Structure formats: structure tokens, C-alpha cells
Amino acid sequence: MKTTNLIQQRSFDFAKQIIDLYSKLQHENEFVLSRQLLKSGTSVGANVEEAIAGQSRKDFAAKMAIASKEARETRYWLRLLKETDLSNIDVTDYITEIEAIINILTKIVKTTQSHIQNPVQD
């Protein structure tokens, strides 16, 4: 029986939400920020997937760190949408979700880096 990987599922679900938001923004003729948001918002989950297939703990940590950076970039674009007049779409829930994803990724990266620096002796 396969267990669900929380960050894998949340980042995938978030990517689907970002694709939907991108479509709505395109419909409002917002092309610049929507494209940036699409790229960074879907990249989070792609990097999580790569991390899961990492060849080592260092590789895993590096890919998760990239996912974290992409999540932070996504938060930036969402904040710009929220605080400008480029769109009337409320992005508050998207910001809340990306904040949660950032928190999870930060914890994963810190924990993994700690285990790399201080490996448990058997």
C-alpha cells in the first residue's frame, strides 16, 4: 500500500489551481504576470517530484531547496496581483496555500540538511 506524500500532493494540487488561475487571468487579458505565475507555480511540484527521485540526500535537499525558491517566487507574483489593479480576482486563498507549502518545504530542507551534517550513527 502506497502512502501519500503530503508535499507531493499539495504541490500538485496547487499547480492545478495555478493553471486555473492562469486561465482566468488570460481571460482578463493579463498576460505578463499570469505567465510568470504559471511558470513558478507549476515548477514547485515539478521540483518536488525531482527531489523524490533524488540520487542522494544532498540531491534531495538541493531539489527541495529549488522547490522552496520557486514557491517564494510564486508568492511574490501572487502578492503583486493582490496589491495592484491588474486583476479583480481574489488571490488570498492562493497566498495562504503557498505560504503553507513554503513552510513545509522549509522544514523539509532544514531537517534534511541537518541529517546530512549530523548523520545518525548505528
Side-chain angles (χ1 to χ4, degrees):
M1 184 166 96
K2 185 173 173 154
T3 59
T4 301
N5 181 318
L6 175 66
I7 192 59
Q8 184 180 28
Q9 189 60 53
R10 279 185 89 159
S11 61
F12 182 79
D13 290 343
F14 184 74
K16 293 189 305 185
Q17 294 169 3
I18 288 297
I19 291 167
D20 183 54
L21 177 58
Y22 169 77
S23 178
K24 290 175 185 174
L25 290 166
Q26 291 280 301
H27 201 82
E28 288 188 354
N29 295 318
E30 199 309 296
F31 301 109
V32 177
L33 287 181
S34 64
R35 181 76 178 133
Q36 294 294 329
L37 182 59
L38 178 68
K39 290 166 70 175
S40 65
T42 56
S43 181
V44 176
N47 281 288
V48 167
E49 289 289 336
E50 285 188 40
I52 291 168
Q55 297 174 343
S56 67
R57 269 195 177 162
K58 284 185 179 181
D59 188 32
F60 175 84
K63 295 288 192 304
M64 283 295 188
I66 293 168
S68 178
K69 289 178 183 181
E70 293 293 336
R72 290 168 190 279
E73 180 182 342
T74 301
R75 177 179 59 190
Y76 175 80
W77 298 123
L78 288 168
R79 287 180 54 222
L80 274 177
L81 280 171
K82 183 177 182 177
E83 296 180 22
T84 63
D85 293 328
L86 292 175
S87 173
N88 292 322
I89 299 171
D90 183 9
V91 295
T92 304
D93 290 342
Y94 297 93
I95 293 172
T96 300
E97 181 60 14
I98 201 62
E99 289 285 352
I101 289 171
I102 289 168
N103 289 339
I104 294 167
L105 289 168
T106 299
K107 179 71 173 166
I108 290 169
V109 170
K110 285 183 178 181
T111 301
T112 304
Q113 288 174 339
S114 174
H115 287 138
I116 291 168
Q117 293 170 355
N118 304 305
V120 176
Q121 301 294 323
D122 287 328

